[in-house]
Amino acid sequence: MALVLNEEQQLLKESAEGFFTEKAPVSQLRKLRDDADETGFSTELWTEMSEMGFAGLLIDEDHGGTAFGCVGAGIVAEALGKTLSASPYLASGVVAASVVKAAASEAQKNELLPAIAAGEIIATLAVDEGSRHAPEGTALKAEKSGDAYKLSGMKTFVPEGHVADKIIVLARTGGEAGSTEGLSLFIVDRGASGLIVDRTISVDSRNWAKITFEGVTVGANALLGAEGKSFEALDSALDRARIVVAAELLGIAQHCFNETVEYLKERKQFGVPIGSFQALQHRAAQLFGEIEVTRSAILKALQVADAGGNVAWFASLAKAKASKTAELATNEAIQMHGGIGMTDEFDMGFYIKRARVLQHLYGDFNYHADRFARCSGY
Amino acid sequence: MSDLEAFRTETRAWLEENCPQSMRTPMKGEADFCWGGRKFKFQSEDQKKWLERMATRGWTVPTWPKEYGGGGLSKDEAKILATEMKRIGARPPLVSFGIWMLGPALLKFGTEEQKKEFIPPIVRGEIRWCQGYSEPNAGSDLAALATKAVDHGDHYIINGQKIWTSYADKADWIFCLIRTDATVKHDGISFVLFDMETPGVSTKPIKLISGYSPFCETFFDDAKVLKKNLIGEENKGWTIAKYLLTHERSNIGDMGTPTPLNMLAKDKLGTKDGELPDTMLRHQIAEHEIDAACFLFTLERAKDAAKAGGDQGAFSSLLKGYGTELNKDRHELIVKVNGSDAFEWEGQFSNNGEVARSWLRTKGNSIEGGTTEVQLNIISKRILGLPS
C-alpha cells in the first residue's frame, strides 16, 4: 500500500479540518475553561461530530459506523489536535470502540457499537491505577460469586470518566499484580451501586476521573471476552488507541510549528523579521524534519493497524516518536514566540498542556521506547 | 493474475536463476561494491556475471528508458524488482555516480546524441564517472567556483583545481562545473563532460582521518574540452548542477537497510532475559532505532508521494540532512557497542580497523553533497519561506 493518503482519506482530512476550525476552534476550549464548564466539552459539538460519523470511524457499517478504519481515526485526531477541540472522541469513539471490537461477544457488540457510533452513549476505558501506565500491574479485584462478580479497587486517569455512561474496567480475576494472566474486562453502568466517580480537572482544561469500586456487583453478561484472558485483546485495542493519540500529538506539533513559522516571519527585532536569523531558521528547519518523520511513522502504523494483526512494534514506534516530537515542538514554539508564548492570553499554553497529557496517556516515551526494544528482540 | 503479479513471478524466477549465490551475501563495505569502469578489477567471476546479466536487461537502472539501455520499468515494476532483490539478499549489481547523479541529469538536459553516447556505457558499467564540483574556495558556496574556461571555437581550454572529487583517481570521465563567464556568479557556470585521460588532467588522493583516500584533488592544466560535450547551454550549468545535487542528496540520505544496530549489539554483548545487559546502551540504541525507523518510512513516503506525482523538490534536503546525521549517530553507537575492540586499527581480528575507519568516514556524510547546515538553509528558505 502506498504510504500516502488516498482520495477518500484526503477528503476526510479536508472535511475534518474545516469542521473543527469552524465549529470548535481553540477559543471554544478557552471558553469552557473560563466558564468552569462541568462537562468539559460542548454536547452540541459531540452530537454534530456523531452526525458527521466521527464517533463511528472505527466501527463497521453493520454496527452503524462509518468504517474509515484507523487511518480515518488518525486523520480526525490530527485535525482536532490542531484546534484542541474537546469531545469524548478519543475516550468513546476510539478507545472504548476498539476495546469492544477486540474483546466483546457478538451480542455485546450489537448492543454497544451502534450506540457508540451514534454518540448515544459515551463509553470509556478505566485501565490505569497509578501515576504510570502499566496494564499488567492491575490490582483492582473481581471476585466471582455464583453468576456475578464483585469489583473492588480504584482506577485513575480515566478520560471523560466524569460523564461516561459505560465504563469498561480492567480487573484481576486471577494471578498476581504484574502478570498478564488473570486479567478480565467488565462493562459497568454509570450509577452502579458502589461506584464512586470523582471528576478531576486536568492541566489541559479537559477532564478525567478517579473511580473507586466499592464492591460493585455486575452480572456475568458484563464480562467482555473470556475470564482471565483479556490482556491480548486489551493491548491490541490500546495499540490502536496509542497510534490515534500519536496522531493527535502530531496535529498539536504541526499546529504549533505552523504558528511559530508565521510568527518568525512577522515579528521584527533589530529592524528585521526574526525569521531572517539563521539561529532560528535552523531550529525551525530541524523541527520541520522531526515532524515529517513522525508523520511517516504514524501513517505507517495506522495503515498496518488497518491491515490487522500485531501492531505493537508500530504502535510503540509511533507513540514514542510522537511524544518526543510534540514535546520538542511545544517547547520550541514557546521559546521562539518569546514572552508572548508565556501568557495565558496567547493560545500556545493550551497546546503544551494538552501535549504533555497525551504524551503520558497509554504510555510515555520511555514506556514505548522500552516496549519498542522488547518487540525488536532486545 | 494482474500484470504486476505476473511481473513479480517472472522476476522472482529470473533472479533465482541468474543471481549467483555469492552475490546474495551481505556486502561488508565499499570494498565489495561493483563500481565498474575501465580500471575496475572484479573481485570474482560471480560479480562480473551478475553485472553483465543485470545490465543486459537494463536492470542496473530499472526505470531508465529502454532506448538508452535502461530497463524501461514502471515505478511499480521497479518497486517489485527491488523487493524481490531484497527478498533474496541480492547485492546491487552496480554502484556508480553515473547512475546516481549524471544519468538523471543527462536524461533531462542532454541532447539525443549525448544520451546515446553517454548513457549506455553507464548502464553497462563500462565508464566510471566522477564529479568535479567543489574547489578549494568554493565549498558550501559552490557557485563561487573559479575553474577557468577560455573559449577556442569548438573547444574550451580549462585551467584550475577541483577538490573532494570522489574517486577521481579511479574514474574514467568527469562531469565538471567550469566558469565560462567571470562577470556574473550563478549565470557564468557551465556543465561539461571530459575524459580523465585528457592531457593536462591530473589527480592527487587526499588521505582522510579514516586512513582511506576516497577523495582527490584534481588539477586542470590547459586541458582541452570539446564543446559538443557541453550539457545544456553555455552559462546555464547551475540549473543542471542543482538538479543533480538533488538526486545526490536523496541518495546520500538513503543508506539502504544496513544490519540493524540491535543485531550488532546482541551479537557482541548477548542478552539477559531477552534484553541487552547494558541498560543505558539499550536505551540509546532504542532511541536511535526509533528515529531510524521513522526515517525509513519517510523515504518510503517520499517515494510514494513522488510516484503519485508530487514534486519532491527541497524535501530531498530533509532526507539528506536527517539521513546523514542518523548515520553518524549509528556509527557512534557501533563504536560504543564494540568497546575497545572498536579501536584496533590494523590486523585480522578487526578486518584492519573496519569499525573505526567506517566510523571516521561517516563524519564526512554531513559535509559532502552540501553540509547539514546548507540543507537546513534550503529547508528554511524553500519549504518554510523564511526571509533572507
Side-chain angles (χ1 to χ4, degrees):
Chain A
M1 189 190 301
L3 200 51
V4 286
L5 297 184
N6 65 28
E7 209 171 313
E8 187 190 42
Q9 292 161 347
Q10 192 62 40
L11 284 172
L12 176 66
K13 179 183 157 81
E14 283 157 26
S15 101
E17 285 180 350
F19 176 82
F20 291 117
T21 307
E22 187 199 330
K23 306 275 181 173
V26 65
S27 56
Q28 186 182 69
L29 179 67
R30 178 183 290 278
K31 185 162 190 319
L32 289 162
R33 182 199 65 174
D34 292 347
D35 295 350
D37 187 279
E38 283 185 14
T39 307
F41 59 86
S42 152
T43 48
E44 292 80 23
L45 176 74
W46 181 231
T47 304
E48 275 191 79
M49 283 175 69
S50 305
E51 285 164 6
M52 294 277 290
F54 292 169
L57 292 167
L58 289 174
I59 296 169
D60 59 86
E61 286 166 355
D62 288 347
H63 289 102
T66 41
F68 265 94
C70 292
V71 174
I75 287 168
V76 170
E78 186 188 340
L80 59 81
K82 289 176 179 168
T83 47
L84 297 185
S85 310
S87 78
Y89 170 73
L90 184 65
S92 195
V94 175
V95 186
S98 295
V99 175
V100 170
K101 274 172 66 184
S105 68
E106 202 46 48
Q108 288 166 328
K109 285 182 192 169
N110 287 337
E111 182 200 336
L112 295 167
L113 292 178
I116 292 175
E120 288 163 13
I121 60 164
I122 293 170
T124 188
L125 173 71
V127 55
D128 290 344
E129 297 181 4
S131 63
R132 276 172 176 67
H133 181 61
E136 70 282 358
T138 292
L140 186 142
K141 247 190 334 202
E143 286 170 303
K144 195 169 184 177
S145 63
D147 269 353
Y149 292 86
K150 198 166 85 175
L151 307 176
S152 316
M154 68 86 64
K155 293 284 175 183
T156 187
F157 208 35
V158 182
E160 322 299 341
H162 64 307
V163 290
D165 305 295
K166 302 270 183 189
I167 295 156
I168 301 168
V169 58
L170 183 66
R172 192 161 284 288
T173 44
E176 296 293 313
S179 167
T180 55
E181 292 297 317
L183 290 171
S184 306
L185 288 162
F186 295 91
I187 187 150
V188 180
D189 284 339
R190 170 190 185 77
S193 169
L195 189 75
I196 302 164
V197 178
D198 286 320
R199 174 186 172 212
T200 304
I201 299 170
S202 182
V203 66
D204 56 352
S205 305
R206 300 284 296 271
N207 296 271
W208 38 276
K210 292 191 182 84
I211 304 180
T212 311
F213 294 75
E214 287 187 342
V216 175
T217 302
V218 292
N221 60 352
L223 184 68
L224 298 184
E227 183 190 300
K229 301 281 176 210
S230 286
F231 182 78
E232 214 176 294
L234 172 85
D235 211 32
S236 145
L238 275 176
D239 273 336
R240 276 140 185 96
R242 286 159 178 151
I243 308 169
V244 175
V245 172
E248 186 172 341
L249 282 165
L250 175 66
I252 291 175
Q254 186 73 59
H255 173 83
C256 292
F257 175 71
N258 294 348
E259 290 288 300
T260 302
V261 170
E262 283 315 302
Y263 187 73
L264 292 179
K265 291 175 188 172
E266 286 161 15
R267 169 74 172 168
K268 284 190 177 166
Q269 287 288 275
F270 307 102
V272 293
I274 59 172
S276 63
F277 300 138
Q278 204 174 38
L280 296 181
Q281 289 181 345
H282 283 192
R283 285 171 78 154
Q286 266 166 333
L287 184 51
F288 170 78
E290 293 300 340
I291 291 171
E292 287 300 317
V293 303
T294 305
R295 176 176 299 286
S296 312
I298 291 171
L299 182 54
K300 186 75 181 183
L302 291 166
Q303 288 186 349
V304 172
D306 278 334
N310 187 356
V311 294
W313 186 88
F314 291 94
S316 282
L317 172 73
K319 184 67 185 4
K321 186 62 185 176
S323 297
K324 201 172 167 184
T325 299
E327 183 165 320
L328 179 71
T330 49
N331 285 338
E332 288 288 83
I334 287 188
Q335 177 66 21
M336 289 197 252
H337 275 88
I340 195 176
M342 286 298 292
T343 62
D344 183 69
E345 192 190 344
F346 195 62
D347 291 330
M348 207 52 80
F350 286 98
Y351 288 87
I352 192 170
K353 291 168 187 171
R354 179 66 177 161
R356 291 306 177 277
V357 173
L358 291 177
Q359 282 169 239
H360 192 75
L361 187 62
Y362 309 132
D364 65 1
F365 175 83
N366 290 337
Y367 179 94
H368 285 291
D370 175 72
R371 188 166 176 260
F372 172 87
R374 272 186 287 116
C375 292
S376 308
Y378 64 101
Chain B
M1 192 160 34
S2 75
D3 287 354
L4 283 178
E5 278 316 300
F7 177 77
R8 185 186 294 280
T9 310
E10 284 163 26
T11 302
R12 185 174 290 187
W14 187 88
L15 287 171
E16 203 46 67
E17 194 175 326
N18 288 283
C19 181
Q21 284 303 326
S22 72
M23 291 295 108
R24 303 182 191 192
T25 58
M27 297 194 289
K28 286 198 204 78
E30 285 196 8
D32 286 338
F33 287 6
C34 176
W35 289 99
R38 296 191 294 233
K39 301 172 197 166
F40 184 70
K41 287 189 183 64
F42 289 98
Q43 284 115 32
S44 65
E45 247 333 279
D46 279 352
Q47 191 185 42
K48 186 162 181 256
K49 251 192 259 172
W50 180 224
L51 170 62
E52 284 169 0
R53 287 172 181 172
M54 287 291 275
T56 303
R57 305 203 120 200
W59 282 3
T60 47
V61 282
T63 57
W64 291 10
K66 270 204 157 142
E67 47 194 309
Y68 310 119
L73 300 188
S74 68
K75 283 177 179 170
D76 284 327
E77 289 169 335
K79 199 167 171 180
I80 288 173
L81 173 60
T83 317
E84 289 303 315
M85 285 177 67
K86 197 172 158 190
R87 198 181 64 85
I88 59 167
R91 296 180 179 186
L94 179 67
V95 204
S96 86
F97 298 151
I99 295 177
W100 293 340
M101 302 192 239
L102 179 62
L106 278 176
L107 284 169
K108 189 169 169 72
F109 297 101
T111 63
E112 191 57 27
E113 264 185 329
Q114 288 168 335
K115 289 184 205 175
K116 288 223 165 87
E117 179 177 357
F118 294 112
I119 294 177
I122 294 175
V123 178
R124 295 191 297 261
E126 291 164 359
I127 291 295
R128 182 169 176 178
W129 289 87
C130 64
Q131 177 189 40
Y133 269 35
S134 297
E135 296 179 6
N137 290 315
S140 287
D141 186 11
L142 181 62
L145 62 93
T147 290
K148 190 177 163 191
V150 177
D151 195 329
H152 285 259
D154 68 340
H155 67 278
Y156 300 108
I157 294 295
I158 295 183
N159 281 283
Q161 182 195 342
K162 294 287 172 183
I163 196 168
W164 308 121
T165 329
S166 307
Y167 303 113
D169 53 337
K170 298 182 173 69
D172 306 310
W173 276 64
I174 186 168
F175 49 95
C176 192
L177 296 179
I178 55 174
R179 181 149 301 284
T180 37
D181 184 348
T183 61
V184 282
K185 193 173 177 180
H186 296 85
D187 294 331
I189 294 168
S190 299
F191 189 104
V192 291
L193 314 178
F194 54 95
D195 196 318
M196 289 294 280
E197 286 179 6
T198 306
V201 177
S202 60
T203 62
K204 186 176 150 206
I206 304 168
K207 189 170 173 180
L208 298 187
I209 51 178
S210 62
Y212 295 142
S213 302
F215 299 106
C216 292
E217 291 178 283
T218 305
F219 302 94
F220 310 123
D221 186 9
D222 286 338
K224 179 179 170 182
V225 174
L226 296 177
K227 273 197 185 166
K228 76 176 180 73
N229 293 338
L230 175 73
I231 307 298
E233 286 174 49
E234 188 179 78
N235 293 329
K236 297 282 178 232
W238 186 246
T239 311
I240 305 171
K242 276 197 302 187
Y243 177 80
L244 190 148
L245 275 175
T246 311
H247 266 271
E248 178 184 6
R249 279 171 191 150
S250 316
N251 284 304
I252 293 179
D254 187 354
M255 299 283 176
T257 35
T259 310
L261 195 51
N262 76 74
M263 304 281 274
L264 299 176
K266 278 192 285 190
D267 284 351
K268 188 77 187 175
L269 304 168
T271 54
K272 193 171 168 249
D273 302 326
E275 292 182 7
L276 285 169
D278 181 334
T279 54
M280 293 305 286
L281 184 61
R282 173 177 181 264
H283 183 107
Q284 286 187 311
I285 290 173
E287 281 213 51
H288 172 86
E289 291 199 325
I290 285 169
D291 286 346
C294 290
F295 180 68
L296 275 183
F297 294 138
T298 303
L299 288 174
E300 184 183 340
R301 183 161 71 90
K303 278 180 194 152
D304 287 343
K307 219 169 79 175
D311 176 21
Q312 202 186 346
F315 203 78
S316 67
S317 285
L318 186 158
L319 301 180
K320 199 277 176 184
Y322 207 99
T324 55
E325 293 297 334
L326 261 182
N327 199 43
K328 287 200 298 183
D329 188 49
R330 169 182 158 87
H331 281 267
E332 287 296 346
L333 285 166
I334 291 175
V335 169
K336 290 183 174 74
V337 162
N338 282 279
S340 60
D341 291 341
F343 303 129
E344 182 172 305
W345 191 246
E346 286 169 15
Q348 284 300 307
F349 174 72
S350 63
N351 194 17
N352 285 323
E354 173 104 29
V355 167
R357 291 170 196 270
S358 302
W359 158 64
L360 288 162
R361 175 64 186 85
T362 61
K363 298 303 162 198
N365 294 163
S366 51
I367 302 170
E368 60 211 354
T371 62
T372 294
E373 290 69 26
V374 165
Q375 307 313 322
L376 294 175
N377 286 345
I378 294 172
I379 293 168
S380 305
K381 302 215 161 60
R382 293 191 35 211
I383 298 180
L384 307 183
L386 290 173
S388 297

